[in-house]
């Protein structure tokens, strides 16, 4: 272990922040206070926090619909939450929700509503970075289910041909809604697909935040030199596909078994081994919760978009020089 | 008569047709154990097993084309899009493959495939999960398009669609899937191409489909209070289109308002307007008004309402028309 | 003035914009050494090298989305479809990705991408290589659609499209790519949304785009012999649409015939008809007539002619309208 | 070699028939007598004839736009030629041309104008055969260029998941129009893609008719048991992409080099080794040419579709029970 206790506590805080952030969402959902479809990444925090920590200063990230734990550590918590609650001071003026969130400033490329379509878009973005001689790469996250999309094939192949600075991070949580990965494909490891494009591919333990971070760091270093690759992180979706999904289709035993491997507990164990105290961890909990509560309070007080903001055609068309666009 | 939800009507239509014809099968994302995202296939997997109802990977183009191939081989696939929006990825399959094979083969092959797709707004689900998609397909020869507004129509039309020997795009409206309506226990079908007078009237014809039928009904009630008598027509299918029924109404009222949920520019309202302006011009006493969504990718959440047509926009348009 | 072919006008527009702005680049199938299927990019690879002009694998969805991504990063991609028909596979990218990113991001990202696509019949190339595709895209907020009929318009509009900060679908007609027309040496651009009076007249307004403009011109000559004065309007762009110009003509003539090569049902003619019936109803003296292709997937070879509108169908329609 | 001289002469006749058929087309094209885009498979006869001979009686074939040599040996030559010339007694009443040709009777599924779209369609067809308990499989031919399409990825994955009775036959002729295979992908052998779906894949010499036939036979036997696979046959496109393509983009030396490996010459050598005489081969030439000339003469005399046949809406819609379809 090359990390100091303090560094590890830092990762721990992020994992906890990811978990608590979604638990907060969950509370709101259960109270019926939120609009939208909530795809929670509870249980997958290590994969996401690992990615977020591997990103270099100039690198870009394409998240998925299930990336709140990652976003809660990458973005400004208040502005993120404002977007989540559809407020006009959110990252995208409340128009995107976490379905489509993006931010230029934070180097966050849009979540795509069409699974797979974001993959070749990310490749195009990565290629542009290379053309502009930026020392930067893109991490494009996608789920196991998404790998079946034609756009993924086309995008990965184009990335390989163009030596695009990109890492495809497959967050394999075992399920695409009700479809287990074993019924989405006959292969064991989705990173095998890399062979089809002449790229390197590797499958790792997605519940180990350090492994994820370090693997991604290496992959990113290669990507910045024009060597794209696939990293598959295996983890598990603890919740239903979205909040409200009763999840009948899932074997409760498999489910319980998988949930035993809790990325937070894992790191806790290591931390105790390094001499961390209950008090230290408890302090983190308090700090994190406070931040989250503040963010939600801020967002709740924030204004919803007005009619005029909603019907602002300058946000639809950037150039309007005559003729009738409507 | 018993009342059932729209989603159940869809389920029953599929069930009955699967029982009647062993060549009918159902594929899509999460149609098996989950019974579809809005319950439209609840119980079918249990009833018919994994050879007749099975999940596909997240690969819309692939599995609609799979349906095209199976249909050419004599099967009668029902292919579900989880959200109609995703049909953008199967646009070739739905518009350019299925409907053309018959003519392209000199009449030898046909593609008796039904593509079911839940569409429309109402959930604040933003720009890529809320669209009405019918207009994208209006220009394809060989295709048929069904858009029911009630559980009764949904069941009857879906059964017909499944029996039809051509490719049919069957659009169910998400916001209507939970409404209930009378549906007889006995078997019935409704032919494609027969519109319906939802409400009789004499001053203006309101043509609406799916969720907008209900907005039109509310508008008509309000207009009635001011002494304006609105007739409401639900064409139910866009291809084939019941031009005759529309014409009769226009002859009576001389005034037309067409309402749809998709953006106004390029929506099906333009086709219906053009049909009227071409065939029933002499009956027209006023401009043909179209009402559609704002020309905006729908935003997340509550503000989607600001973009959509509703009772009020219909009332206002009708009043202006009659001024 | 010098005369050049339409395909050369396209090439020059691309070349000049690539010279002017180093962010402009060109991708597609066979755009590099081959210079595009119809020569529209001849010489550009040699001039700008493999970083600005390069081939993509046969993966339409992938590379149009690649363009969307590059555009978000500040590049200005020109993405060529080899045949417009193949856009069915990039339908999401062209209609649902590019044009929506701006609004979906709250105005932060835009997608200044031009998708060029040669469309139309004339080669007897059957049902999947002969289509006019514009109507499929008319219902997408955020998109613009350009359809020039002359080398002059093609060059001027393409330059504007490339400079435009939104996603533009630029449709060039295959059967026109080899025609020649006057194009000045000097730089010029033509704004999107300005239609053009191709021929002055007083009795009827014929609205046509691309290849049908020429059919309309021939028809007008023939009609003139019988004392009928036809005005021809070429809107040049469908989105934005020059409603004003159309309205002025309708006010003058009171009669409208709209001609397009795509099938009549669901073609852009319906949108233009609806715009007229809504905004200029009081000027109308007769039904609005649409002329389009038969509702048939175009057959191979010579018989495609039996399906398409032409001079004769226009003449006949106008005469009936004036009876 | 397990084949008698007579059997080998049979293959030879087919190769020659394929070549001469396209040379006949070429003659017509050069005289300006034909409408349409002609993608000739000259040089690729062994790959196509190998496939055609491997098909069992109940098997189906999906050809490509470049499959005339194969079709000229599988179909009735007169009816094929009538379709090629757009006559109303062609396989598809002249509506399809070889762009879209199909025939139920001949178990020929349509050529698709959208490269790649035919792949999942073929999988659907194959699955239906299996459901109907036919002891049959589908051979789905695709070019190297086509493998980059998303539909190919989606279709192959679905085939694997459903154990569909299908063989994907990649006819790798080195080019997709002006794009060499080395710029379409970073991998050497396209059959490698099979690994991405958990299927077997093999790359063979596509200019050896016997190897193609035998490999396909084995693959088909497996496919009929529900084990799909990929077979890639490497060959070379002698002509331009279509007749009229000047082919500037191609290095003339590479071109000449590749054309030295002529599948017909190869078999000729073997035949001479087995004692075949010049006379025997010359007789084949005569026979083949006569058949082809007859087919073209028949087609030329055949009627073009009339207006009524063209505008026959019963060929557009199979069910028309009211309402306005137009
Ligand atoms: C093109 C498309 N098809 C289907 C969907 C519906 N959908 C949303 S999430 C999801 C499951 C995706 O599974 P995976 O990629 O593994 O991500 P996970 O939800 O497990 O994080 C599906 C099918 C969609 N949004 N887009
Ligand atoms: C979807 C689609 N994209 C592009 C084309 C145009 N096109 C026709 S043939 C061809 C080359 C295909 O290469 P390959 O698959 O290797 O087949 P080959 O022509 O070499 O036999 C292309 C790009 C098409 N018909 N369909
Ligand atoms: Mg998953
Ligand atoms: Mg090839």
């Amino acid at each position: 272990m090359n990390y100091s206790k303090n560094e590890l506590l830092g990762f721990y805080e992020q994992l906890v922040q990811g978990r608590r952030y979604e638990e907060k969402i969950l509370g709101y959902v259960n109270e019926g206070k939120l609009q939208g479809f909530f795809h929670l990444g509870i249980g997958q925090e290590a994969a996401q926090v690992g990615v977020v920590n591997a990103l270099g200063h100039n690198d870009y990230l394409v998240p998925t619909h299930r990336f709140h734990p990652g976003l809660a550590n990458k973005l400004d918590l208040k502005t993120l939450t404002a977007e989540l609650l559809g407020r006009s001071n959110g990252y995208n003026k409340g128009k995107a929700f976490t379905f489509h969130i993006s931010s230029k400033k934070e180097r966050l490329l849009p979540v795509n509503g069409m699974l797979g379509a974001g993959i070749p878009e990310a490749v195009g973005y990565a290629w542009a970075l290379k053309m502009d001689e930026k020392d930067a790469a893109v991490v494009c996250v996608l789920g196991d289910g998404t790998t079946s999309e034609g756009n993924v094939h086309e995008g990965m192949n184009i990335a390989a041909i163009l030596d695009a600075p990109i890492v495809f991070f497959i967050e394999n949580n075992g399920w695409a809604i009700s479809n287990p990965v074993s019924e989405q494909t006959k292969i064991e490891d989705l990173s095998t697909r890399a062979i089809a494009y002449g790229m390197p591919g590797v499958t790792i333990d997605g519940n180990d935040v350090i492994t994820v971070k370090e693997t991604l760091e290496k992959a990113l270093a290669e990507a910045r030199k024009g060597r794209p690759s696939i990293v598959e992180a295996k983890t598990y979706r603890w919740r239903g596909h979205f909040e409200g999904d009763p999840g009948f289709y899932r074997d409760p035993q498999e489910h319980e078994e998988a949930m035993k491997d809790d990325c937070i507990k894992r790191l806790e164990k290591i931390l105790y081994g390094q001499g961390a105290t209950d008090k230290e961890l408890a302090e983190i909990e308090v700090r994190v919760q406070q931040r989250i509560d503040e963010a939600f309070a801020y967002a709740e007080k924030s204004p919803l978009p007005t009619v005029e903001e909603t019907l602002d055609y300058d946000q639809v068309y950037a150039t309007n020089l005559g003729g009738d666009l409507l | 008569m018993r009342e059932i939800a729209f989603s159940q009507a869809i389920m029953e239509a599929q069930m009955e047709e699967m029982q009647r014809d062993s060549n009918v099968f159902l594929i899509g994302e999460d149609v098996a154990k989950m019974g579809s995202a809005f319950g439209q296939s609840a119980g079918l997997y249990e009833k018919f097993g994994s050879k007749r109802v099975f999940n596909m990977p997240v690969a819309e183009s692939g599995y609609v084309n799979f349906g095209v191939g199976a249909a050419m081989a004599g099967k009668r696939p029902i292919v579900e899009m989880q959200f109609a929006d995703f049909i953008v990825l199967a646009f070739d399959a739905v518009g350019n493959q299925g409907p053309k094979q018959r003519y392209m083969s000199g009449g030898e092959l046909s593609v008796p495939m039904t593509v079911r797709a839940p569409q429309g707004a109402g959930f604040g689900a933003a720009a890529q999960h809320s669209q009405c998609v019918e207009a994208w397909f209006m220009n394809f020869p060989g295709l048929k398009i069904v858009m029911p507004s009630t559980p009764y129509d949904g069941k009857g039309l879906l059964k017909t669609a499944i029996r039809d020997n051509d490719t049919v795009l069957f659009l169910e409206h998400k916001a209507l899937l939970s409404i209930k309506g009378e549906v007889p226990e006995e078997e019935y079908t409704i032919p494609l191409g027969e519109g319906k007078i939802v409400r009789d009237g004499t001053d203006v014809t309101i043509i609406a489909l799916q969720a907008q039928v209900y907005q039109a009904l509310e508008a008509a009630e309000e207009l009635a209070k001011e002494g304006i008598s609105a007739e409401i027509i639900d064409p139910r299918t866009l291809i084939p289109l019941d031009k005759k029924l529309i014409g009769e109404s226009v002859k009576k009222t001389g005034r037309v308002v067409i309402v749809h949920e998709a953006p106004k520019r390029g929506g099906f309202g333009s086709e219906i307007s053009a049909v009227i302006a071409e065939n029933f011009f002499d009956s027209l006493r006023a401009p043909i008004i179209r009402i559609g969504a704002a020309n905006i990718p729908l935003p997340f959440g509550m503000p989607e309402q600001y973009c959509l047509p509703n009772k009020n926009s219909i009332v206002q348009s009708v009043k202006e028309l009659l001024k």
Side-chain angles (χ1 to χ4, degrees), chain A, chain B:
Chain A
M1 185 70 54
N2 302 312
Y3 296 88
S4 70
K5 188 184 105 185
N6 268 345
E7 283 172 312
L8 292 178
L9 280 171
F11 294 135
Y12 182 80
E13 181 157 346
Q14 293 184 55
L15 294 179
V16 170
Q17 180 145 319
R19 174 94 34 111
R20 299 295 167 256
Y21 190 75
E22 287 199 325
E23 287 171 352
K24 182 85 180 185
I25 294 177
L26 203 47
Y28 269 66
V29 171
N30 291 340
E31 288 171 50
K33 280 193 357 193
L34 286 188
Q35 208 177 1
F37 293 97
F38 292 90
H39 304 90
L40 302 188
I42 294 181
Q44 305 175 207
E45 294 87 354
Q48 300 186 7
V49 168
V51 167
V52 166
N53 283 280
L55 290 168
H57 185 68
N58 296 318
D59 296 334
Y60 284 78
L61 173 69
V62 184
T64 72
H65 54 286
R66 200 180 296 288
F67 213 76
H68 308 95
L71 296 183
N73 285 293
K74 182 167 173 58
L75 301 183
D76 174 67
L77 217 49
K78 288 182 177 165
T79 317
L80 166 65
T81 310
E83 188 60 40
L84 190 80
L85 268 60
R87 307 298 159 139
S88 52
N89 53 350
Y91 274 106
N92 307 105
K93 306 203 167 89
K95 297 187 162 73
F97 180 58
T98 49
F99 260 34
H100 301 307
I101 193 167
S102 66
S103 166
K104 262 189 177 168
K105 183 168 151 272
E106 309 279 6
R107 295 191 156 72
L108 188 81
L109 300 180
V111 174
N112 213 303
M114 302 293 108
L115 294 174
I119 280 69
E121 290 180 18
V123 176
Y125 208 100
W127 171 85
L129 291 174
K130 182 173 150 178
M131 286 302 108
D132 291 345
E133 297 181 358
K134 303 259 165 70
D135 184 29
V138 176
V139 175
C140 176
V141 185
L142 61 158
D144 48 288
T146 303
T147 62
S148 300
E149 285 284 1
N151 268 315
V152 175
H153 171 67
E154 298 185 5
M156 287 185 174
N157 189 42
I158 292 171
I161 295 171
L162 297 180
D163 305 318
I166 189 163
V167 179
F168 301 103
F169 182 75
I170 303 177
E171 192 177 342
N172 180 348
N173 63 4
W175 293 87
I177 310 189
S178 73
N179 212 21
V181 66
S182 61
E183 292 179 24
Q184 300 163 26
T185 169
K186 285 234 158 159
I187 60 178
E188 263 306 304
D189 293 332
L190 287 164
S191 65
T192 305
R193 294 265 162 89
I195 299 171
Y197 312 110
M199 299 192 288
V202 62
T203 294
I204 57 172
D205 178 349
N207 290 340
D208 179 345
V209 63
I210 305 292
T211 301
V212 174
K213 172 177 176 283
E214 292 185 344
T215 310
L216 255 284
E217 276 171 346
K218 272 185 228 135
L220 274 165
E222 289 295 303
R224 286 185 212 106
K225 293 183 220 146
R227 290 197 281 269
S229 68
I230 297 180
V231 175
E232 178 194 22
K234 288 197 171 161
T235 176
Y236 195 79
R237 195 191 79 205
W238 285 22
R239 310 269 326 153
H241 170 64
F242 66 102
E243 291 315 310
D245 168 10
F248 302 131
Y249 47 81
R250 193 148 64 167
D251 176 13
Q253 239 176 334
E254 176 210 298
H255 191 179
E256 263 174 52
E257 199 53 46
M259 282 175 49
K260 284 187 190 150
D261 184 15
D262 179 349
C263 60
I264 296 185
K265 292 258 164 65
R266 269 217 219 171
L267 189 55
E268 235 169 59
K269 212 175 271 172
I270 294 169
L271 275 167
Y272 284 129
Q274 303 245 346
T277 63
D278 284 348
K279 179 150 170 286
E280 279 173 314
L281 302 194
E283 275 168 13
I284 287 178
E285 284 285 356
V286 171
R287 232 177 12 241
V288 162
Q289 197 60 52
Q290 194 173 345
R291 254 182 242 138
I292 291 171
D293 291 346
E294 271 171 27
F296 274 80
Y298 168 85
E300 279 209 81
K301 282 196 311 256
S302 296
L304 286 162
T306 62
V307 180
E308 293 68 36
E309 282 166 24
T310 304
L311 299 180
D312 178 1
Y313 285 97
D314 287 344
Q315 300 212 4
V316 181
Y317 287 101
T319 307
N320 186 356
L321 300 169
D324 240 313
L325 282 164
L326 309 186
Chain B
M1 207 188 292
R2 70 175 182 147
E3 295 213 335
I4 61 172
F6 206 127
S7 57
Q8 193 184 334
I10 303 282
M11 185 282 290
E12 287 187 2
Q14 298 183 104
M15 183 181 68
E16 290 174 20
E17 293 309 301
M18 289 181 74
Q19 257 160 344
R20 204 182 55 81
D21 181 348
S22 65
N23 280 317
V24 180
F25 71 98
L26 168 66
I27 55 174
E29 288 160 46
D30 309 293
V31 295
K33 291 192 191 161
M34 190 158 160
S36 299
F38 303 90
Q40 307 102 304
S41 309
L44 298 181
Y45 172 78
E46 289 72 17
K47 194 169 180 76
F48 297 101
S50 63
K51 285 190 176 171
R52 307 257 325 260
V53 180
F54 51 99
N55 289 339
M56 279 288 176
V58 190
E60 289 77 8
S61 181
Y63 63 75
V64 184
N65 275 323
F66 177 95
V68 171
M72 289 195 291
K75 298 285 163 197
R76 305 187 78 84
I78 306 170
V79 185
E80 179 183 286
M81 299 276 100
Q82 193 159 62
F83 281 65
D85 308 70
F86 309 156
I87 213 167
V88 286
L89 298 172
F91 191 69
D92 178 37
V94 176
N96 193 45
Q97 296 290 335
K100 287 186 175 171
Q101 291 293 0
R102 184 173 170 82
Y103 190 83
M104 279 170 37
S105 66
E108 222 184 60
L109 299 166
S110 359
V111 180
M113 170 174 72
T114 302
V115 178
R116 281 186 34 247
Q119 70 171 3
F123 298 84
Q128 296 178 332
H129 285 73
S130 309
Q131 297 164 96
C132 286
V133 308
E134 67 280 344
W136 308 340
F137 293 95
M138 292 290 291
N139 202 219
F140 280 113
L143 185 65
K144 294 172 179 171
I145 304 180
V146 181
M147 284 174 72
S149 64
T150 67
Y152 179 86
D153 289 350
K155 182 170 178 185
L157 288 165
L158 180 53
K159 285 170 69 80
T160 308
I162 296 168
R163 294 184 198 182
D164 195 284
N165 287 322
D166 298 309
T167 302
V168 181
L169 176 57
F170 182 94
L171 299 166
E172 48 214 43
H173 196 290
K174 294 199 293 288
L176 300 181
L177 284 174
S178 55
I179 65 160
K180 289 197 162 187
E182 290 195 342
V183 175
E185 307 267 1
E186 311 78 55
E187 144 133 290
Y188 67 97
T189 60
I190 301 172
L192 308 190
E194 270 188 21
K196 177 171 91 170
I197 299 175
V198 177
R199 187 186 196 281
D200 274 309
T202 50
D203 296 329
V204 60
T205 301
I206 303 174
I207 301 173
L209 284 102
Q210 293 198 320
Q212 293 304 317
V213 171
Y214 299 90
Q215 297 295 325
L217 275 166
E218 287 188 35
E221 288 307 313
E222 207 161 307
L223 289 164
K225 288 185 205 141
E226 311 196 21
I228 299 171
S229 162
E231 174 144 308
I232 301 175
I233 302 256
D234 176 358
R236 299 198 289 194
T237 62
L238 281 176
I239 312 173
L241 181 67
D242 193 342
K243 295 182 186 171
K244 198 163 147 281
L245 186 73
I246 292 172
E248 279 159 12
S249 184
V250 175
K251 276 174 202 153
K252 187 163 58 170
T253 64
R255 292 184 187 83
V256 185
V257 171
I258 308 161
V259 201
H260 53 69
E261 189 181 303
K264 174 172 165 178
R265 183 240 294 143
F268 72 72
S270 62
E271 177 63 21
I272 293 182
S273 169
V275 164
I276 294 170
E278 194 156 5
N279 299 294
F280 312 114
F281 179 77
D282 293 339
S283 308
L284 282 176
R285 289 195 276 160
I288 304 170
I289 303 300
R290 291 173 299 157
I291 306 177
N295 188 24
I296 277 183
L298 289 178
F300 166 68
M302 178 277 295
E304 92 175 2
Q305 297 169 21
Y306 301 148
C307 305
L308 299 176
N310 57 28
K311 179 192 73 169
N312 298 332
S313 41
I314 300 172
V315 167
Q316 197 186 324
S317 286
V318 169
K319 281 196 196 165
E320 258 168 51
L321 201 59
L322 284 160
K323 248 205 312 245

